[in-house]
Amino acid sequence: MKRYARVRSAVLKGLEPIEVVVEAHIDPRSVYNDVDIIGLGDTAVKESKRRVRSALNSLGFKFPDGRVVVNLAPSDLKKEGSALDLPIAIAILCASDQLEFQDDYLILGELGLNGEVRRINGLLPILAGLDGTTKILIPQANLSEAQLVRNRSIYAFENLRDVVAFLQGMRDFPALDPLILENTTPHWDIDMADVRGQEAAKRALMVAAAGAHNVLMIGSPGSGKTMLAKRLVTILPPMTEEEILETSKIYSVAGLLPPEGYVLRRPFRSPHHSASIAALVGGGATAKPGEISLAHNGVLFLDELPEFRRDVIEALREPMENGHITVARAKATVRYPARFMLVAAQNPCPCGWYGDREHDCTCSISEIMRYNKKISGPLLDRIDIFINVPRLTYEEYRSSTSSSDSATMREKVMMARTIQLKRFAGKKIRCNAHMDGKMLREHVKLDPTCEKILEESVKALKMSARAIEKVLKVSRTIADLEASKDVKAEHLVEAIRYRQREAIP
Ligand SMILES: [Zn+2]
């Protein structure tokens, strides 16, 4: 008996695949009849020995007598999940002379007790990140996401028996054909036209979408803030193929991929205000991506912003600065992308009715001020646009028709984005919202009239230097929406309007 065999596999560290060698060694003379798995495996890996034993037995293979040691190398890397079941089974079969093959394969898959090869989380980032020369064996249940990856030889299997037959050359299985995404424009079941009235709010959201500006909506209950926020994704440009792959990788790790195997629509995530830091930014025992990474390339909606815990809001600071989040773990740190548009919403006061034309607010001025102070400075610093969303009276609601629809708004947004792509060609940023001070001076030049308007507004609204920067960025976006080379007075005036939180004392 050979007694020793090795099989290649892989695990994930964040979204980065790391190759693992699974070694099996059998000592048939040992009186100790058991399997040891060594090399920093988590509980799922430890349980692997039971699944592998059952799977081999139920398919009529012989589980070797004596002591079996399975080593997962490199040994300093923590290995999670159940994807190592199949390579462990194959290594044991080889070491006990029940299987022999020459070719070099990388093998991934969980095993059921009956020998079924089951789906694993995180396959897409492994396939997309691995060296393209390898032949890879995967679970059939992961087929749809695997099709997204090009230039790989991938073979998919439903059970261990088929894998063995394939490796022995007894049965032929075709390699997967990659899927070419022909039309990446998603279909939406919701539309901006569903929201009646609120044309000013829709306009502000279009400006936000055009320049990737973060927004805060302020309005009483029932004013339509949530409806509007949900529909923001419908006016953003369709994701590029690269963005589809980025977002799909995160959903693969989280086990949240839709049946088609990829995420075509920009994500909209709305975590509840009671969400923990781990749920929001990721991490915890399993180091899974959090809501902010699930919102990558899409919209993160924080409704009832003042109700969120301060430390949770503070945790948003790093990702909003860098577009990614680093999650610390016991043995390592993992990194997930987290570039999203933030849409926050709040009532104007604790009872919700301050400024409403029909309901009376029961809050004292000091209560209202305390409520609004709860939103921390660092987050407010990231908001470019404040949108007041007044509740329509019944009469207004009845008489209002909806004019702006998503398709029309999206077209304008895409035109403005195209201008920005040209403007920032060769630079790291893509949108006006991410301009630094130097870029602002280069791309936003004000004529004397505009200078005067700005000066007066700075005095009247007590604008900080940061607030002025935001006004200039947003005015650049408004000018882009009109394909205007220069920022004109009307663009600037509209941008200044978005700094006024009228409803709040
Ligand atoms: Zn109130």
Side-chain angles (χ1 to χ4, degrees), residues 424-475:
F424 303 125
K427 299 208 174 81
K428 264 190 169 171
I429 68 164
R430 290 181 210 167
C431 295
N432 290 337
H434 307 126
M435 280 193 283
D436 60 22
K438 188 168 158 264
M439 289 176 183
L440 266 178
R441 282 189 295 280
E442 188 185 337
H443 299 298
V444 188
K445 296 203 166 72
L446 299 182
D447 65 18
T449 320
C450 287
E451 288 283 7
K452 195 156 189 306
I453 294 171
L454 185 62
E455 200 185 315
E456 280 165 11
S457 309
V458 169
K459 274 185 206 147
L461 295 169
K462 299 194 183 70
M463 274 198 264
S464 66
R466 274 207 116 141
I468 297 168
E469 275 192 6
K470 288 172 193 309
V471 163
L472 295 177
K473 283 179 194 177
V474 173
S475 62

Coordinates of all heavy atoms in Angstrom, one line a residue, residues 424-475:
F424 N -12.0 62.1 -15.4 CA -11.1 61.5 -14.5 C -10.3 60.3 -15.1 O -9.8 59.5 -14.4 CB -11.9 60.9 -13.3 CG -12.7 62.0 -12.5 CD1 -14.0 61.9 -12.3 CD2 -12.0 63.2 -12.1 CE1 -14.7 62.9 -11.7 CE2 -12.7 64.2 -11.4 CZ -14.1 64.0 -11.2
A425 N -10.3 60.3 -16.5 CA -9.6 59.2 -17.2 C -8.1 59.1 -16.6 O -7.4 60.2 -16.5 CB -9.6 59.5 -18.7
G426 N -7.7 57.9 -16.3 CA -6.3 57.8 -15.8 C -6.1 58.0 -14.4 O -5.1 57.8 -13.8
K427 N -7.2 58.6 -13.7 CA -7.1 58.8 -12.3 C -7.9 57.7 -11.5 O -8.6 56.9 -12.1 CB -7.8 60.1 -11.9 CG -7.1 61.3 -12.6 CD -7.3 62.6 -11.8 CE -6.5 63.7 -12.3 NZ -7.2 64.4 -13.4
K428 N -7.7 57.7 -10.2 CA -8.3 56.6 -9.5 C -9.8 56.7 -9.3 O -10.5 55.7 -9.1 CB -7.6 56.5 -8.1 CG -6.5 55.6 -7.9 CD -6.1 55.4 -6.5 CE -5.1 54.3 -6.3 NZ -4.6 54.3 -5.0
I429 N -10.3 57.9 -9.4 CA -11.7 58.1 -9.1 C -12.5 58.1 -10.3 O -12.0 58.3 -11.4 CB -11.9 59.4 -8.3 CG1 -11.6 60.6 -9.1 CG2 -11.1 59.4 -7.0 CD1 -12.2 61.9 -8.5
R430 N -13.8 57.9 -10.2 CA -14.7 57.9 -11.3 C -15.8 59.0 -11.3 O -16.4 59.3 -12.2 CB -15.4 56.6 -11.4 CG -14.5 55.4 -11.8 CD -15.3 54.1 -11.9 NE -14.5 53.0 -11.6 CZ -14.9 51.8 -11.3 NH1 -16.2 51.6 -11.4 NH2 -14.1 50.8 -11.1
C431 N -16.1 59.5 -10.0 CA -17.2 60.3 -9.9 C -16.9 61.6 -9.1 O -15.9 61.7 -8.4 CB -18.3 59.6 -9.1 SG -19.0 58.2 -10.0
N432 N -17.7 62.7 -9.4 CA -17.4 64.0 -8.8 C -17.4 63.9 -7.2 O -16.6 64.7 -6.6 CB -18.6 64.9 -9.2 CG -18.5 65.3 -10.6 OD1 -17.4 65.2 -11.2 ND2 -19.6 65.7 -11.2
A433 N -18.2 63.0 -6.6 CA -18.2 63.0 -5.2 C -16.8 62.7 -4.6 O -16.6 63.0 -3.4 CB -19.2 61.9 -4.7
H434 N -16.0 62.1 -5.3 CA -14.7 61.6 -4.8 C -13.5 62.6 -5.1 O -12.4 62.3 -4.9 CB -14.4 60.2 -5.2 CG -15.5 59.3 -4.9 ND1 -16.1 58.5 -5.9 CD2 -16.2 59.0 -3.8 CE1 -17.1 57.8 -5.3 NE2 -17.1 58.1 -4.0
M435 N -13.8 63.8 -5.7 CA -12.8 64.7 -6.0 C -12.1 65.2 -4.7 O -12.8 65.5 -3.7 CB -13.4 66.0 -6.7 CG -13.7 65.7 -8.2 SD -14.0 67.3 -9.0 CE -15.7 67.6 -8.5
D436 N -10.8 65.4 -4.8 CA -10.1 66.1 -3.6 C -10.0 67.6 -3.9 O -10.5 68.1 -5.0 CB -8.7 65.4 -3.4 CG -7.8 65.5 -4.6 OD1 -8.0 66.4 -5.4 OD2 -6.9 64.7 -4.7
G437 N -9.4 68.3 -3.0 CA -9.3 69.7 -3.1 C -8.7 70.2 -4.4 O -9.1 71.2 -5.0
K438 N -7.6 69.5 -4.8 CA -6.9 69.9 -6.0 C -7.7 69.8 -7.2 O -7.8 70.6 -8.1 CB -5.6 69.1 -6.1 CG -4.6 69.5 -7.1 CD -3.3 68.8 -7.0 CE -2.5 68.8 -8.3 NZ -2.7 67.6 -9.1
M439 N -8.4 68.6 -7.3 CA -9.3 68.4 -8.4 C -10.4 69.4 -8.5 O -10.8 69.8 -9.6 CB -9.9 67.0 -8.3 CG -8.9 65.8 -8.6 SD -9.7 64.3 -8.3 CE -8.3 63.1 -8.6
L440 N -10.9 69.7 -7.3 CA -12.0 70.7 -7.2 C -11.6 72.0 -7.9 O -12.3 72.6 -8.7 CB -12.4 71.0 -5.8 CG -13.6 70.2 -5.2 CD1 -13.8 70.5 -3.8 CD2 -14.8 70.4 -6.0
R441 N -10.4 72.5 -7.5 CA -9.9 73.7 -8.1 C -9.7 73.7 -9.6 O -9.9 74.6 -10.3 CB -8.5 74.1 -7.4 CG -8.7 74.7 -6.0 CD -7.4 75.3 -5.4 NE -6.4 74.3 -5.2 CZ -6.4 73.5 -4.1 NH1 -7.3 73.6 -3.2 NH2 -5.4 72.6 -4.0
E442 N -9.3 72.5 -10.0 CA -9.1 72.3 -11.5 C -10.4 72.2 -12.3 O -10.5 72.8 -13.3 CB -8.3 71.0 -11.7 CG -7.8 70.8 -13.1 CD -7.2 69.4 -13.3 OE1 -6.7 68.9 -12.3 OE2 -7.1 68.9 -14.4
H443 N -11.4 71.6 -11.7 CA -12.6 71.3 -12.4 C -13.8 72.2 -12.1 O -14.8 72.1 -12.8 CB -13.0 69.8 -12.3 CG -12.0 68.9 -12.7 ND1 -11.6 68.8 -14.1 CD2 -11.2 68.0 -12.1 CE1 -10.6 67.9 -14.2 NE2 -10.4 67.4 -13.0
V444 N -13.8 72.9 -11.0 CA -14.9 73.8 -10.7 C -14.3 75.3 -10.6 O -13.7 75.7 -9.6 CB -15.5 73.4 -9.3 CG1 -16.8 74.3 -9.1 CG2 -15.9 72.0 -9.3
K445 N -14.5 76.0 -11.7 CA -14.0 77.4 -11.7 C -15.3 78.3 -11.7 O -16.1 78.2 -12.5 CB -13.2 77.6 -12.9 CG -11.9 76.8 -13.0 CD -10.9 77.5 -13.9 CE -9.5 76.8 -13.6 NZ -9.4 75.5 -14.1
L446 N -15.3 79.2 -10.7 CA -16.5 80.0 -10.5 C -16.2 81.4 -11.1 O -15.1 82.0 -10.9 CB -16.8 80.2 -9.1 CG -17.2 78.9 -8.3 CD1 -17.6 79.2 -6.9 CD2 -18.3 78.1 -9.0
D447 N -17.2 82.0 -11.9 CA -17.1 83.3 -12.3 C -17.4 84.3 -11.2 O -17.9 83.9 -10.1 CB -18.0 83.5 -13.6 CG -19.5 83.4 -13.3 OD1 -19.8 83.5 -12.1 OD2 -20.2 83.2 -14.2
P448 N -17.2 85.6 -11.4 CA -17.5 86.6 -10.3 C -18.9 86.5 -9.7 O -19.0 86.6 -8.5 CB -17.2 87.9 -10.9 CG -16.3 87.6 -12.1 CD -16.6 86.3 -12.6
T449 N -19.9 86.3 -10.6 CA -21.3 86.2 -10.1 C -21.4 85.0 -9.1 O -22.0 85.1 -8.0 CB -22.3 86.0 -11.2 OG1 -21.9 86.8 -12.3 CG2 -23.7 86.3 -10.8
C450 N -20.9 83.9 -9.5 CA -20.9 82.7 -8.7 C -20.2 82.9 -7.4 O -20.6 82.5 -6.3 CB -20.4 81.5 -9.4 SG -21.5 80.9 -10.7
E451 N -19.0 83.5 -7.5 CA -18.2 83.8 -6.3 C -19.0 84.5 -5.3 O -18.9 84.3 -4.1 CB -16.9 84.6 -6.6 CG -15.8 83.8 -7.4 CD -15.0 82.8 -6.5 OE1 -15.4 82.7 -5.3 OE2 -14.1 82.2 -7.1
K452 N -19.7 85.5 -5.8 CA -20.5 86.4 -4.9 C -21.6 85.6 -4.2 O -21.9 85.7 -3.0 CB -21.1 87.6 -5.7 CG -21.6 88.7 -4.8 CD -21.6 90.0 -5.6 CE -21.9 91.2 -4.7 NZ -23.1 91.1 -3.9
I453 N -22.3 84.8 -5.0 CA -23.4 83.9 -4.5 C -22.9 83.1 -3.4 O -23.5 82.9 -2.3 CB -24.0 83.1 -5.6 CG1 -24.7 84.0 -6.6 CG2 -25.0 82.1 -5.0 CD1 -25.2 83.2 -7.9
L454 N -21.7 82.4 -3.6 CA -21.2 81.5 -2.7 C -20.8 82.2 -1.4 O -21.1 81.8 -0.3 CB -19.9 80.8 -3.3 CG -19.3 79.7 -2.4 CD1 -20.3 78.6 -2.2 CD2 -18.0 79.1 -3.1
E455 N -20.1 83.4 -1.6 CA -19.7 84.1 -0.4 C -20.9 84.5 0.5 O -20.8 84.3 1.7 CB -19.0 85.4 -0.9 CG -18.1 86.1 0.1 CD -17.6 87.4 -0.4 OE1 -17.1 87.4 -1.6 OE2 -17.6 88.4 0.4
E456 N -22.0 84.9 -0.1 CA -23.1 85.3 0.7 C -23.8 84.1 1.4 O -24.2 84.2 2.6 CB -24.2 86.0 -0.2 CG -23.8 87.5 -0.4 CD -24.6 88.1 -1.6 OE1 -25.6 87.5 -2.0 OE2 -24.2 89.2 -2.0
S457 N -23.8 83.0 0.7 CA -24.4 81.8 1.3 C -23.5 81.2 2.4 O -24.1 80.8 3.4 CB -24.5 80.7 0.2 OG -25.1 81.2 -0.9
V458 N -22.2 81.3 2.3 CA -21.4 80.9 3.3 C -21.7 81.6 4.6 O -21.8 81.0 5.7 CB -19.9 81.1 2.9 CG1 -18.9 80.8 4.1 CG2 -19.5 80.1 1.8
K459 N -21.9 82.9 4.5 CA -22.2 83.8 5.6 C -23.6 83.4 6.2 O -23.7 83.1 7.4 CB -22.2 85.3 5.3 CG -20.8 85.9 5.3 CD -20.8 87.4 5.1 CE -19.5 87.8 4.5 NZ -19.7 88.9 3.6
A460 N -24.6 83.4 5.3 CA -26.0 83.2 5.7 C -26.1 81.8 6.4 O -26.9 81.6 7.4 CB -26.9 83.3 4.6
L461 N -25.5 80.8 5.8 CA -25.7 79.4 6.3 C -24.6 78.9 7.2 O -24.6 77.8 7.6 CB -25.8 78.4 5.1 CG -27.0 78.6 4.1 CD1 -26.8 77.8 2.9 CD2 -28.3 78.3 4.8
K462 N -23.7 79.8 7.5 CA -22.5 79.4 8.4 C -21.9 78.1 7.9 O -21.7 77.2 8.7 CB -23.0 79.3 9.8 CG -23.6 80.5 10.4 CD -23.6 80.4 11.9 CE -24.3 81.6 12.6 NZ -25.8 81.7 12.3
M463 N -21.5 78.1 6.6 CA -21.0 76.9 6.0 C -19.5 76.7 6.4 O -18.7 77.7 6.4 CB -21.1 77.0 4.5 CG -22.4 76.5 4.0 SD -22.3 76.1 2.2 CE -22.9 77.6 1.5
S464 N -19.2 75.5 6.7 CA -17.8 75.2 7.0 C -17.0 74.9 5.7 O -17.6 74.9 4.6 CB -17.7 73.9 7.8 OG -18.2 72.8 7.0
A465 N -15.7 74.8 5.8 CA -14.9 74.6 4.6 C -15.3 73.3 3.9 O -15.4 73.2 2.7 CB -13.4 74.5 5.0
R466 N -15.6 72.3 4.7 CA -16.1 71.0 4.2 C -17.4 71.2 3.4 O -17.6 70.6 2.4 CB -16.3 70.0 5.3 CG -15.0 69.3 5.7 CD -15.4 68.0 6.3 NE -14.9 66.9 5.4 CZ -14.3 65.8 5.8 NH1 -14.3 65.5 7.1 NH2 -13.8 64.9 5.0
A467 N -18.3 72.0 4.0 CA -19.6 72.2 3.4 C -19.4 72.9 2.0 O -20.1 72.6 1.1 CB -20.5 73.0 4.3
I468 N -18.5 73.8 2.0 CA -18.2 74.5 0.7 C -17.7 73.6 -0.3 O -18.2 73.6 -1.5 CB -17.2 75.7 0.9 CG1 -17.8 76.7 1.9 CG2 -16.8 76.3 -0.4 CD1 -16.7 77.7 2.4
E469 N -16.8 72.7 0.1 CA -16.3 71.7 -0.9 C -17.5 70.8 -1.4 O -17.5 70.5 -2.6 CB -15.4 70.7 -0.2 CG -14.0 71.2 -0.1 CD -13.0 70.2 0.3 OE1 -13.4 69.0 0.5 OE2 -11.8 70.5 0.5
K470 N -18.4 70.5 -0.6 CA -19.6 69.6 -1.0 C -20.4 70.4 -2.0 O -20.9 69.9 -3.0 CB -20.4 69.2 0.2 CG -19.6 68.2 1.0 CD -20.3 67.8 2.3 CE -19.4 67.0 3.2 NZ -18.8 65.9 2.5
V471 N -20.7 71.7 -1.7 CA -21.4 72.5 -2.6 C -20.8 72.5 -4.0 O -21.4 72.4 -5.0 CB -21.6 73.9 -2.0 CG1 -22.1 74.9 -3.1 CG2 -22.6 73.9 -0.9
L472 N -19.5 72.7 -4.0 CA -18.8 72.8 -5.3 C -18.8 71.5 -6.0 O -19.1 71.4 -7.2 CB -17.3 73.2 -5.1 CG -17.1 74.6 -4.5 CD1 -15.6 74.9 -4.2 CD2 -17.7 75.7 -5.4
K473 N -18.7 70.3 -5.3 CA -18.8 69.0 -6.0 C -20.2 68.8 -6.6 O -20.3 68.4 -7.7 CB -18.6 67.9 -5.0 CG -17.1 67.7 -4.6 CD -17.1 66.6 -3.5 CE -15.7 66.6 -2.9 NZ -15.6 65.5 -1.8
V474 N -21.2 69.1 -5.8 CA -22.5 68.9 -6.2 C -22.9 69.8 -7.4 O -23.5 69.4 -8.4 CB -23.6 69.1 -5.1 CG1 -25.0 69.0 -5.6 CG2 -23.3 68.0 -4.0
S475 N -22.4 71.1 -7.3 CA -22.7 72.0 -8.5 C -22.0 71.5 -9.7 O -22.5 71.6 -10.8 CB -22.2 73.4 -8.1 OG -20.8 73.5 -7.9

